[in-house]
Structures are given as C-alpha cells and as structure tokens.
Amino acid sequence: MNQTDLSMPTKYDPAAVEKDRYQYWVDGKFFEASGDKNKEPYTIVIPPPNVTGKLHLGHAWDTTLQDILSRVKRMQGYDVLWLPGMDHAGIATQAKVEAKLREAGTSRHDLGREKFLEKSWEWKKEYAQFIRTQWEKLGLGLDYSRERFTLDDGLSEAVKEVFVKLYEKGLIYRGEYIINWDPATRTALSDIEVEYEDVQGAFYHMRYPLKDEEGGIEIATTRPETMLGDTAIAVHPEDERYQHLIGKKAILPIVGREIEIVADDYVDMEFGSGAVKITPAHDPNDFEIGNRHNLERVLIMNEDGSMNENAGKYQGMDRFDCRKQIVKDLQAEGVLFEIEEHLHSVGHSERSGAVVEPYLSTQWFVDMNPLAEASVDLQKGEDKVQFVPDRFEKPYLHWMENTRDWCISRQLWWGHRIPAWYHKETGEIYVGKEEPKDVENWIQDEDVLDTWFSSALWPFSTMGWPDENSEDYKRYFPTNVLVTGYDIIGFWVSRMIFQSIEFTGRRPFEDVLIHGLVRDADGRKMSKSLGNGVDPMDVIDQYGADSLRYFLSTGSSPGQDLRFHWEKVESTWNFANKIWNASRFALMNMGDLKYEDIDLSGEKSVADQWILTRLNQTIQQVTQNIDKYEFGEAGRHLYNFIWDDFCDWYIEMAKLPLYGEDTARIHTTRSILAYTLDQIMRMLHPFMPFITEEIWQHLPHQGESITQASWPEVRDEFHNEQAVQEMDRLVSIIRSVRNIRAEVDTPMSKEIQLMIQAKDENVVSELEKNRDYLEKFCNPSELTIATDLQAPEKAMSSVITGAELYLPLAGLINIEDEIKRLEKEWKKWDQEVSRVQKKLANEGFVKKAPEHVVEEEREKENDYLDKRTKVEARIEELKA
C-alpha cells in the first residue's frame, strides 16, 4: 500500500473487522510452512481436539497461546510449522454415533461393523468442519496443507508399526488381568481415564461362619455384592489373633461355598478386624493375592454391570440393585451386623461418568517398566524436556516412576483395530502390519486400541514417520514446544515422551508449556452439571475474537488457573476500541504520507524522543517475556505503553505540531506516528490478529499482510534517557495541576496562575524548552518558572522530582484543609523514606543485590527525603 487509507469506520466493530479476514490469510497461504532452508524451523503440533465437535474455553486458551508463539516466530524469520489435526476420540465419538442411531431406532449391531464405521466417518466429516469453523473464528494460523487425523492412512501405518515392534520386543502382551471397566460404554479404561470422586457410602461389617468350629471371622467391605465372588479370606501371617485359623475354611454366606483362610503380607493388621475378603475377579489387589495363593477367579458380573449366572439368585439384577438386596438378605441371615457410613473415593469413567468396575478381563497391555525408565533417564541429561513452569516436572516423574502396565485394548469399533489375528483351529496369535496370508483361517481381534495409543505418536507420526526420509520428519521433528494443560500430563505428555524416546531416540519437544484450567468467576471448574460453562463462540459473537484472545492470553501466569469474567473480556474490548480510535486519529492526520516518505531523522521534540525510547523499552520487554512464555507480563507492558504512553500522552502532544505551521515538524510527527503505530501493530498482532491486520492495512506499509511483517527490533539510535526524564517531569507537572484543579473543582477551561520553583537552572532550562506543552495542558493565565520563587501564602502546592508547584488560589480553598492535605502527603513520603531506609539497612540486600539496584534505592531515598522536607517546609509556611 503506497498511501494511507482514510476509510476506517468511525466505530470499532469486531464483527466487521474479523469478517473474511481469515479466508484472506488462508488464501494467501501466509500460514504454510515454507521449507526454506535459509530459515531456522520452528514447530508446534496442535493438541488434537476430539472430533466430537465443540471447542471449549480451555481449547481457546490453549490454541491462542500456540498461535501467539507461531505468529511471533514467523515474524522473527523462522520457518514456522503449526500443524493442525483432530483425534478420532474412540469412546466419545462412538457414544455420539450410537446415540444418533438410537434416535433413528437402530443400533451398531443392527448395522454391522462396516456400516457403523461408514456412519462414524460421516460424523467425522461433519464435525471436523465444525471444528475448523471454530478455529477460523479464533483466527488460528494453522497450516491446513498438513492437517492430520489420528485415523488417516499415514497415522494408521505408524500405529501398526509401533504395535508390532513393541509386541516383537515383548513390551506388548495379552493377558487376563483386573482392568478398569466402564459398564456404560462396555469397554476397558486406562488408569488415567478414571476420575475419582468422594461418594457417601458405607462399610458393611459381616461375620463369615467358620467350618468345623464355632464362631466366625469378621470382615468389612464397601461393595457387599462382590462377596458372591469371594474365594478366600486373608490375614497377616504374624497376626496372633488368627494363627489358629490359617489354612482352615470359612463358609461364604448365602452362596454356601467353602473358602480358604490364607496368610498374606498385604493385609494390614491395624486396619479394621485385620481380616479381608478376597475377590480375585473384582479387585486388583485381590487379583495379586489370588495369584500368590492359586485361588479360583469367580466373575460375577456381565459387561453391562448386571449380575451373571455365578451370582445365583441375583442373576440379571443391576449391580447396585443387587447390593441393596444382598444387604437385606445378609441382615436377615444375621451375617451383617453393622452398617457404618463412610465417605470414600470412587472411580468414575472420564467418558461416560459411570462408576468404574474393577473387572477380570483378557486385554492387551504395554509393559511400562522399561519405557518409563528411559523417560526418567532422559530427564537427567542435557536433552531433557523442559517443563514450564519447572515445578510440573515433579508430577511427571512421579507418574513415570509409579506407573502400572497400560491397558491399551478397547471394546469398540471406532478406532485402530488391533493388528492381531487368532488361528481358528490352533488359537495361535499372529501380530503383523499385514493380514496373514491364509487369512480365511484366522480371525482378527475385534477390539481397537486406546485413543491415547495413537495420539502418543502425534509429534512424529504427523511428520511422516515411520518413513524417516520424510522431508517434514527430517526438518520439523523434534518439535519446539507443546502447549497443554496440567490435567493432561499423565494422559498424554508422558506417553508422547516415552513413545518418542522408544521409536525416534529423541525427545518429542524441547519445552512443555503448562497452563491451568479456565474456571468460572467463583473459581469453580466449568461443567455441564453446574451449568457454568461458557462457549467461546458466544464470547466472540459479543466482543470479537481479539478481545477473547487478549483476555485469555494475558490473564494468567504459566501453570495457573484462569477465572473467566465477562467484565474483563469487556475491558479488553475497550482496549481494542481505544486502539481503533487512536489509530483512526493518527491516520486522519497523516495526510498523503507514503511508506517511502517516513523519515525519522528530523529534529525531534522531547515527546518524539520519549515515545521512541519507550517504544524501544516495550519491544525489549514484550520480546523477553514472550520468550519466557510470560504472556501476561508481555500483555501488561503492551497495554501500558499503548494506552498510557501512546494514546493518552503522545497523541495529545502530537497535536501541537500537527496543528501548527512548521512543515518540517509536521512531517517528523507524522513519520513518528506512522512508525510507532506500525511497531505497535506488529507487537500486538500475535495477541489480536484481526484488528492489527485491519489497521496495518490502512497504514503506509510494505508487504501483503502483517502476518509476514518482521518482528520489531530495538533501535539504539532512538534511545534517549534524558528525554524520558524530561517527559516524566512534564507528565508529573501536568498530572499534578489536573489533580489540584479537580480537588478544588476548577475546570481546565479556566485559566490559573502557575508557579514552578525549579531545583536548579538545568530544570528551569528544560521546562522553558517545553513551555508550549505546559501552556497547552495546564492552561495558565501566567506561567512562572524560576529557582528563587517566593512561595505565595495561599496556594495549592505539589512536590515533584526536581521542582515544586504553586497554584495561588486565594478564596478558592480553606488554608486548614490545605494543611491537612499536605500532612497526608508528608505522611506518604515519610512512609516511603522509612521503607527504603529499612531496605538499605538490610546487609543481606546491600551485599547480594546488583550494584545498580542498590544505587537506585539510594537515589529513591534522596528523592523521598527531598520531597518530605519540602512538604514539611510548606506546612510550616502555611501554619505561620
């Protein structure tokens, strides 16, 4: 664009600004990785959302942070790949599709596997587009040319490769174990797919009769229905109370089965009666005890949580209905003698919400020990994964060091079907990437793999692995950073790390940036049951994507939760509106300024020098904080510079030369306005991409899009500390005068006498040089600047660094009120003196702090002492 465009509407309308802009970016291929070998690659893979359709605020937060990083790095000259994709979400998606089928009066079993999968792919196609639409509304700069899906052909090949290799190494095995079973979806769950909730239950105290002798042995359980599967009672081998019973028999009530009393170190002698019932098919600890004592495993439930034929007369009952009935029956027999209320932690399915049942089942497992050990060892070396904040490395390592074997088979149809076949006659197992040659004699395993099995390969399978000659794999892997929430470290982060080490020999990412959860205004977790969820699309419809993005990205430090407040989103809209209006003013006053006309070499006012210095400082602060992932701090510096320095001060001061007749000063001011606004737009762009692109397109610029513009850099030639000091003094004077006017209810339109007693002639010279600003913004009828002023007896006064202000206001104020005000001011400076002196009296601070920090504190002490003395003197004058 060669000429400024004055067509900006008078009002900031985010819907109008954001409309069609995203398509412009996508059509321009501005987000596609170039593969340019002259640029350093920078890679992020998006945590793939479930293809069940709806992104929540957590997704919006997570992806906004990634978008900021990718846009900054692209502007800094990196070859950026931000790879998009989605997860097939086995359990969740199958549940959605099955629900849709039920509405139509059919089921997956009616359709058969092939037809059901066709329906599932239709769902995927529809909802994948829905997710892309939400990405578009958020303004995410994704490289759609490389979009992946966990069930696409390439990733499916990677999954088979990993399964077969782990199986061949003996790290994948099939066995009968106690697993977490979801009766609602009828599938196994891994440990980390179980969410524990405190539930009000009870301890049911029972006495099992002994065989061949009087009395019984006391046990207690929270799940009395499982007693139907009891095959033993265990006591500690050193428990003197039960030595005479070890090896003897007890009678299982209701069932009448004889069960052995065994000795096992697992039993805690101090807990309860010191005797525990053993149900090997329905409890993981009992399963292990059963293995040690060669106990029978009696499974008493069906896959849907109902009681099976081994439950006798309770067959067909729901497990919880069975519990109620068996309690009544045990009470009637006199076996159950006490019910003790008990609040305990109960596992629920993360997917369906159903109470998880420990269940004996034949499943596929990953032997985690060697994989976890390699992951722990990685963290001891230089190529460790860096957690940000680093405190999250501890829970990661704890998970790795205490992990159990991973159950990876799921009783679903939607997913990666396990590449294992069973011979119809011999039962032999064949595992391979291809079908057996005589496939008609083999039956493939009906189950699919846990969704996390495929997503654990995401950082490298999306790059073309297992083809290690893939150009993307060679160039963009390992990735630079993973952005995710702390609640998914065990689910996903840990698994990506150990799979990457195992199959690529490298960490999957250099950094893991951990953010918290988005909570409601009261700090509660958002949930359907509470009805406190907020749809990010609704926020965008009301306030625009830029407002939502800025709020999310700057509202919390790494690792901390974020509370959602509509008021704060509205305040970010106000910020955007401020930027819009300031930009519009600047553009209206640039005339026909072209990009090549921008000239920053002319004579500059103190305001010009100050804004360029503050711009330098802001560029440095924003860049450093983004590099540290401190987006909140970066946003704070940006906000302060844009709102306070640029909008409230520089633009106002720029009006003097702009409305003047000095053509050289006008051109310099226009150039500085154009340059500063351009640099602001570039820094703000990763946070607020839509409004910044819109404004930048109206500015004189080079290039098609701000997405391709270079990131701002500090220019040393514009750094002027003296100008900062001068401007700070001017701002202090103007603010003091405005505050005094407000205090005595004197409007700015009314002229007043202003007297400034300067500390020395240098301050006098400085203020005289900037007299036009003082006259413009203080509106004095008479302005006196000197070192030897005689302070008027009746005046409002204020002390600033290097000067004292007097506003003679005889008849406008009460002297006694002014004395009270000054006494409050004296107290303020006295407290500051005490604080800084206490700090300087601390030997530890003086010795350990950098010399320039200590010197700054000493300068503050002198400044505060000077201000306190002057206020004290003024009080004495008024009292005289």
Side-chain angles (χ1 to χ4, degrees):
M1 182 176 176
N2 295 317
Q3 185 172 323
T4 54
D5 183 351
L6 303 182
S7 63
M8 282 178 68
T10 56
K11 183 180 179 182
Y12 168 57
D13 178 1
V17 167
E18 294 170 11
K19 186 178 184 235
D20 300 329
R21 181 60 67 189
Y22 191 79
Q23 196 58 48
Y24 163 74
W25 288 329
V26 172
D27 290 345
K29 300 184 177 181
F30 300 138
F31 302 141
E32 292 187 12
S34 66
D36 186 344
K37 298 297 191 292
N38 295 316
K39 294 182 176 181
E40 185 177 342
Y42 184 89
T43 315
I44 303 175
V45 289
I46 198 169
N50 292 346
V51 68
T52 44
K54 201 162 190 179
L55 302 181
H56 51 63
L57 276 174
H59 290 119
W61 188 12
D62 187 79
T63 51
T64 294
L65 298 183
Q66 294 169 65
D67 195 38
I68 289 170
L69 290 170
S70 65
R71 286 178 186 267
V72 168
K73 292 300 179 182
R74 191 178 293 112
M75 295 173 79
Q76 289 177 337
Y78 288 81
D79 173 22
V80 173
L81 169 58
W82 185 19
L83 187 145
M86 300 173 210
D87 193 290
H88 65 279
I91 297 174
T93 301
Q94 180 154 323
K96 295 280 189 181
V97 176
E98 288 198 79
K100 195 172 181 181
L101 291 175
R102 282 195 297 273
E103 290 176 4
T106 186
S107 71
R108 66 178 168 121
H109 299 288
D110 294 334
L111 291 179
R113 188 170 195 137
E114 187 175 335
K115 289 289 185 182
F116 175 77
L117 291 179
E118 287 179 10
K119 292 290 184 183
S120 299
W121 278 103
E122 289 173 8
W123 173 283
K124 182 266 176 186
K125 183 178 180 181
E126 179 182 352
Y127 282 90
Q129 187 53 47
F130 189 48
I131 289 174
R132 290 188 201 102
T133 300
Q134 293 172 88
W135 284 344
E136 176 180 344
K137 287 191 75 169
L138 279 164
L140 306 183
L142 296 158
D143 184 349
Y144 290 106
S145 71
R146 290 173 168 86
E147 183 180 345
R148 304 305 300 268
F149 180 57
T150 47
L151 283 181
D152 69 29
D153 291 342
L155 270 65
S156 295
E157 284 302 307
V159 167
K160 285 189 278 189
E161 179 84 8
V162 168
F163 187 95
V164 171
K165 286 191 173 180
L166 288 176
Y167 179 80
E168 290 172 348
K169 289 185 70 172
L171 294 178
I172 281 183
Y173 63 93
R174 188 170 186 256
E176 190 178 52
Y177 287 88
I178 294 287
I179 48 89
N180 301 302
W181 185 261
D182 181 348
T185 57
R186 301 191 196 185
T187 184
L189 304 172
S190 66
D191 289 345
I192 55 178
E193 289 173 304
V194 179
E195 296 179 337
Y196 287 89
E197 300 174 15
D198 286 339
V199 173
Q200 185 63 53
F203 265 128
Y204 298 89
H205 295 268
M206 295 181 276
R207 191 173 286 106
Y208 286 13
L210 297 171
K211 183 187 178 187
D212 300 330
E213 60 182 277
E214 293 295 320
I217 187 165
E218 182 184 332
I219 62 95
T221 180
T222 59
R223 301 160 66 218
E225 68 279 8
T226 62
M227 67 169 291
L228 301 172
D230 287 357
T231 54
I233 292 174
V235 298
H236 196 279
E238 297 176 7
D239 194 331
E240 295 181 359
R241 294 173 293 176
Y242 302 115
Q243 290 296 310
H244 67 292
L245 294 179
I246 295 173
K248 294 187 176 181
K249 305 275 189 179
I251 304 298
L252 182 62
I254 295 178
V255 178
R257 184 168 61 241
E258 294 181 4
I259 57 176
E260 188 176 354
I261 299 171
V262 301
D264 197 280
D265 290 333
Y266 168 77
V267 180
D268 182 356
M269 289 187 290
E270 305 300 321
F271 184 75
S273 67
V276 294
K277 62 189 280 298
I278 304 302
T279 317
H282 290 276
D283 183 277
N285 296 312
D286 292 3
F287 178 82
E288 298 297 334
I289 293 172
N291 285 348
R292 290 195 288 271
H293 298 278
N294 197 30
L295 299 175
E296 182 185 2
R297 301 166 184 163
V298 179
L299 190 66
I300 60 167
M301 289 184 198
N302 297 310
E303 291 181 351
D304 63 356
S306 64
M307 310 306 289
N308 67 12
E309 67 278 5
N310 292 325
K313 66 180 182 179
Y314 305 102
Q315 182 177 358
M317 295 181 70
D318 173 79
R319 53 184 168 155
F320 298 117
D321 292 335
C322 176
R323 177 180 300 177
K324 293 175 184 176
Q325 186 58 50
I326 207 167
V327 165
K328 292 178 182 177
D329 293 347
L330 289 168
Q331 286 175 320
E333 287 193 11
V335 173
L336 177 61
F337 62 88
E338 182 185 359
I339 299 176
E340 175 190 359
E341 287 193 1
H342 173 60
L343 185 69
H344 61 139
S345 184
V346 176
H348 291 70
S349 169
E350 186 257 345
R351 295 298 183 189
S352 71
V355 172
V356 170
E357 189 67 39
Y359 195 76
L360 182 68
S361 180
T362 299
Q363 302 285 344
W364 288 90
F365 295 85
V366 174
D367 179 355
M368 285 299 302
N369 286 333
L371 299 170
E373 286 174 9
S375 301
V376 171
D377 288 343
L378 177 76
Q379 294 306 102
K380 299 173 183 176
E382 292 183 0
D383 289 333
K384 66 184 288 188
V385 173
Q386 303 289 340
F387 283 81
V388 182
D390 58 8
R391 69 176 184 273
F392 286 103
E393 183 178 20
K394 187 174 181 179
Y396 161 74
L397 288 173
H398 180 268
W399 190 89
M400 282 297 191
E401 290 165 350
N402 295 278
T403 188
R404 297 198 303 177
D405 285 1
W406 175 16
C407 177
I408 55 172
S409 47
R410 297 290 181 269
Q411 288 62 56
L412 305 170
W413 287 354
W414 175 246
H416 295 98
R417 194 168 178 180
I418 292 174
W421 286 260
Y422 310 103
H423 197 278
K424 293 178 180 178
E425 295 179 1
T426 66
E428 174 191 355
I429 297 177
Y430 162 76
V431 171
K433 291 192 288 183
E434 305 295 336
E435 293 180 338
K437 291 181 180 178
D438 53 340
V439 68
E440 65 277 2
N441 294 319
W442 298 79
I443 299 174
Q444 186 174 359
D445 197 306
E446 289 288 326
D447 292 349
V448 300
L449 289 165
D450 178 11
T451 300
W452 297 104
F453 192 89
S454 53
S455 57
L457 317 179
W458 189 252
F460 52 95
S461 63
T462 53
M463 303 292 177
W465 188 93
D467 178 6
E468 297 192 358
N469 291 317
S470 161
E471 288 300 319
D472 279 0
Y473 177 73
K474 289 191 293 184
R475 179 161 178 77
Y476 299 110
F477 182 82
T479 65
N480 292 82
V481 62
L482 172 77
V483 182
T484 191
Y486 58 65
D487 58 331
I488 209 168
I489 292 174
F491 277 99
W492 192 41
V493 176
S494 57
R495 288 169 173 168
M496 283 189 287
I497 293 173
F498 72 66
Q499 292 286 43
S500 182
I501 295 169
E502 174 68 19
F503 289 99
T504 74
R506 294 180 286 178
R507 60 186 176 182
F509 23 72
E510 295 174 19
D511 299 337
V512 179
L513 172 60
I514 302 292
H515 58 75
L517 304 177
V518 183
R519 298 183 178 275
D520 69 10
D522 296 322
R524 300 175 301 173
K525 188 174 180 179
M526 290 184 174
S527 68
K528 289 182 180 178
S529 60
L530 290 174
N532 60 347
V534 175
D535 187 339
M537 300 303 116
D538 291 342
V539 183
I540 292 172
D541 288 342
Q542 188 165 350
Y543 290 109
D546 286 334
S547 296
L548 174 63
R549 287 170 59 110
Y550 196 81
F551 162 73
L552 290 173
S553 58
T554 63
S556 174
S557 299
Q560 299 298 314
D561 288 345
L562 172 68
R563 292 193 181 192
F564 182 85
H565 295 270
W566 281 101
E567 297 84 359
K568 290 186 177 180
V569 180
E570 184 177 10
S571 72
T572 61
W573 180 90
N574 289 333
F575 179 44
N577 190 53
K578 181 90 168 180
I579 295 165
W580 182 266
N581 290 328
S583 301
R584 190 170 182 278
F585 167 81
L587 287 161
M588 288 174 63
N589 286 277
M590 284 183 195
D592 59 353
L593 186 74
K594 301 178 179 63
Y595 181 81
E596 55 270 23
D597 296 334
I598 294 175
D599 181 6
L600 304 178
S601 64
E603 183 179 349
K604 301 177 186 67
S605 67
V606 65
D608 295 336
Q609 296 171 59
W610 168 75
I611 198 65
L612 291 174
T613 303
R614 284 291 296 122
L615 176 62
N616 266 346
Q617 293 169 342
T618 304
I619 291 169
Q620 184 177 40
Q621 291 159 342
V622 170
T623 306
Q624 287 176 348
N625 279 293
I626 289 175
D627 287 344
K628 295 186 295 184
Y629 305 115
E630 291 284 356
F631 303 108
E633 276 298 290
R636 184 178 65 82
H637 286 295
L638 262 175
Y639 183 94
N640 291 342
F641 175 70
I642 295 169
W643 190 293
D644 296 338
D645 297 345
F646 185 70
C647 295
D648 284 357
W649 287 105
Y650 183 70
I651 282 183
E652 289 304 309
M653 290 186 163
K655 290 178 181 178
L656 270 69
L658 285 174
Y659 298 162
E661 297 181 359
D662 187 330
T663 55
R665 287 198 66 189
I666 291 172
H667 187 75
T668 296
T669 304
R670 286 175 171 174
S671 295
I672 291 172
L673 271 174
Y675 173 75
T676 306
L677 194 52
D678 170 274
Q679 298 292 287
I680 287 172
M681 291 303 107
R682 294 178 194 227
M683 278 190 287
L684 190 61
H685 175 69
F687 298 86
M688 292 180 160
F690 292 103
I691 191 173
T692 51
E693 179 76 88
E694 181 72 15
I695 293 170
W696 193 79
Q697 290 291 347
H698 287 77
L699 284 166
H701 66 268
Q702 287 183 320
E704 275 190 80
S705 167
I706 195 172
T707 62
Q708 305 294 302
S710 60
W711 182 254
E713 294 183 357
V714 172
R715 293 178 62 173
D716 292 335
E717 70 269 28
F718 293 154
H719 201 76
N720 189 323
E721 283 296 334
Q722 180 60 34
V724 172
Q725 292 178 21
E726 289 186 24
M727 189 67 177
D728 285 348
R729 198 175 339 263
L730 281 173
V731 169
S732 295
I733 292 172
I734 295 166
R735 279 179 173 158
S736 293
V737 170
R738 287 174 174 175
N739 290 340
I740 291 171
R741 280 177 172 274
E743 193 171 338
V744 297
D745 197 23
T746 302
M748 284 299 301
S749 58
K750 182 178 180 179
E751 292 184 341
I752 57 167
Q753 185 180 358
L754 174 58
M755 304 171 69
I756 303 176
Q757 181 165 307
K759 180 180 180 181
D760 53 42
E761 290 298 330
N762 289 331
V763 175
V764 171
S765 176
E766 168 197 313
L767 294 177
E768 286 290 354
K769 181 179 67 174
N770 295 303
R771 175 179 277 266
D772 55 345
Y773 291 123
L774 296 173
E775 291 176 341
K776 168 67 176 175
F777 296 107
C778 296
N779 193 22
S781 57
E782 180 182 346
L783 173 59
T784 306
I785 306 170
T787 59
D788 55 353
L789 282 175
Q790 179 63 44
E793 288 187 7
K794 295 182 179 181
M796 296 290 284
S797 63
S798 179
V799 179
I800 66 164
T801 302
E804 290 180 74
L805 312 182
Y806 301 103
L807 281 72
L809 295 172
L812 294 179
I813 65 165
N814 184 290
I815 298 298
E816 290 181 2
D817 290 342
E818 176 62 1
I819 291 172
K820 288 179 182 178
R821 187 188 69 79
L822 287 169
E823 285 174 340
K824 287 182 181 179
E825 189 173 349
W826 181 90
K827 187 176 181 181
K828 179 183 76 172
W829 297 126
D830 184 60
Q831 288 173 342
E832 291 295 333
V833 168
S834 297
R835 183 189 62 76
V836 74
Q837 286 181 342
K838 184 177 180 180
K839 198 171 187 179
L840 290 169
N842 184 335
E843 292 184 9
F845 167 74
V846 175
K847 288 180 180 179
K848 294 179 182 178
E851 186 176 339
H852 74 276
V853 173
V854 176
E855 187 57 36
E856 284 176 6
E857 292 301 314
R858 290 198 175 107
E859 289 175 4
K860 286 179 185 178
E861 179 187 24
N862 292 332
D863 186 35
Y864 297 151
L865 282 168
D866 183 49
K867 288 175 178 175
R868 186 181 69 176
T869 300
K870 288 176 178 176
V871 171
E872 189 172 333
R874 184 66 182 142
I875 292 171
E876 292 303 317
E877 288 174 9
L878 289 175
K879 286 183 176 180

